[in-house]
Amino acid sequence: MNKSELIEHIAKQADISKAAAGRALEAVIGGVKTTLKKNGTVSLVGFGTFSVTKRAARAGRNPRTNEAIKIKSAKVPKFKPGKALKDAVN
């Protein structure tokens, strides 16, 4: 399912226009991004939790030259599915 299909699904299920569903989806995504930028977490009971984890700096190799390179540490988004989502999939 891609973004436009998700918007159609939201519009149909909530009995709202596609434009309103699109704005609602953008608002949810924007809220999650804003919270994660502030190193916060977003918990949706039954669905899962979005959080930020820190990936340590590490050594890597350039596959072309086989030269050792340093990879900087980074903050990466993480999603942990909730029990209800796990149960729905299984």
Side-chain angles (χ1 to χ4, degrees):
M1 178 181 280
N2 62 29
K3 189 174 181 178
S4 61
E5 292 170 339
L6 181 58
I7 289 171
E8 278 183 45
H9 179 76
I10 292 168
K12 188 182 259 185
Q13 292 293 315
D15 196 25
I16 57 176
S17 70
K18 285 185 186 178
R23 287 191 303 271
L25 181 59
E26 287 299 326
V28 170
I29 293 170
V32 171
K33 281 183 186 178
T34 302
T35 303
L36 293 180
K37 276 185 182 179
K38 296 176 184 174
N39 285 329
T41 61
V42 178
S43 296
L44 302 171
V45 176
F47 184 70
T49 302
F50 295 93
S51 61
V52 176
T53 60
K54 188 159 175 113
R55 188 167 48 203
R58 62 194 192 279
R61 291 217 171 263
N62 181 335
R64 245 184 220 173
T65 62
N66 209 21
E67 177 185 344
I69 57 171
K70 292 180 184 175
I71 302 172
K72 294 180 182 177
S73 63
K75 292 192 284 185
V76 293
K78 178 180 170 185
F79 177 74
K80 183 177 182 219
K83 184 177 181 336
L85 181 60
K86 287 181 193 175
D87 291 345
V89 171
N90 291 322

